[in-house]
Amino acid sequence: MAESVQEPTYKRVLLKISGEALMGPQGYGLHPPTVERIAREVKSVSDLGVEICMVIGGGNIFRGLAGSAQGMERTTADYMGMLATVMNALAMQSSLEEIGVFTRVISAIRMDEVAEPYIRRRAVRHLEKKRVCIFAAGTGNPYFTTDTAATLRANEMACEAIFKGTKVDGVYDKDPMKHADAKRYDTVTYDEVLAQHLNVMDASAIALARDNRKPIIVFSLDEPGGFRGILAGQGTYTKVQE
């Protein structure tokens, strides 16, 4: 088992988590112990020598689509959502650096006092130096979700896989929280995800991953050691691939 841990399945990955994952037991905002727990999961994988990018949603603070539904102009609402992702990225950076992991927050919207601007070659160099790169502010454009931003950055950074951390241990044919007979898939194709409307990522993100043959690993972020375990060839997850 020790040998498999020393030789992780992937050398460079992108971890996508929702903003809601940082809420912990709260109904909104940031829960510092939860942020710290996730940071330790990331450190455990970084310690294997894996190069890690992260994209964190902003739904724990503000969700553009929800704001739009309440009458706010969509573009403005989406930019507010992007700013929420920057706040989450800074919180994660603080927790990671507190435990000795060097990080860079890289924003698609220029805000030089708090984050680096997105320059692909510079970001790649950070990864090569084993710094965790946290990509914030989505793609910098309204009407695109952080799922799409995660897939875009994973392709630009030449990541070998996208890890989608959720509250359940994979992709199910229906909500396992509501249906006891829900069936979990070990593997599922991109086209099946789209055709069956499986709740993995939005359609644009899935199509972008499919076109670039980027596998998506869906796993439970609430399972201690789950992220590291999958890279060591263990654990329960669903792999979305061709």
Side-chain angles (χ1 to χ4, degrees), residues 169 184 223 225-226 229-230 232-237:
D169 58 356
R184 187 182 63 80
E223 182 68 31
I230 293 168
Q234 304 162 350
T236 303
Y237 57 91

Side-chain angles (χ1 to χ4, degrees), residues 165-178:
T166 69
K167 292 185 177 299
V168 293
D169 58 356
V171 180
Y172 287 77
D173 59 351
K174 48 191 170 186
D175 189 345
M177 301 289 191
K178 298 177 181 176

Side-chain angles (χ1 to χ4, degrees), residues 139-206:
T139 65
N141 300 289
Y143 294 94
F144 289 92
T145 67
T146 50
D147 281 345
T148 302
T151 310
L152 174 65
R153 296 293 185 238
N155 283 307
E156 290 177 311
M157 294 297 105
C159 293
E160 296 170 341
I162 300 166
F163 278 69
K164 175 75 183 285
T166 69
K167 292 185 177 299
V168 293
D169 58 356
V171 180
Y172 287 77
D173 59 351
K174 48 191 170 186
D175 189 345
M177 301 289 191
K178 298 177 181 176
H179 304 277
D181 60 342
K183 172 191 170 187
R184 187 182 63 80
Y185 299 98
D186 287 327
T187 61
V188 63
T189 68
Y190 305 109
D191 289 336
E192 287 171 340
V193 168
L194 292 171
Q196 298 176 37
H197 303 286
L198 299 176
N199 189 22
V200 178
M201 289 179 159
D202 66 64
S204 298
I206 294 295

Side-chain angles (χ1 to χ4, degrees), residues 32-100:
T34 298
V35 178
E36 180 183 340
R37 177 181 62 79
I38 295 172
R40 292 192 179 280
E41 292 282 329
V42 173
K43 182 181 188 301
S44 72
V45 172
S46 179
D47 287 345
L48 295 176
V50 177
E51 297 168 2
I52 305 169
C53 315
M54 294 184 71
V55 170
I56 307 171
N60 57 318
I61 299 171
F62 188 86
R63 186 180 294 280
L65 196 57
S68 176
Q70 294 176 26
M72 187 175 291
E73 195 270 322
R74 174 66 188 270
T75 301
T76 299
D78 278 355
Y79 278 121
M80 291 173 68
M82 290 179 217
L83 295 177
T85 71
V86 177
M87 295 172 70
N88 284 338
L90 291 172
M92 183 58 65
Q93 178 183 45
S94 178
S95 280
L96 283 167
E97 297 202 331
E98 189 72 25
I99 56 177

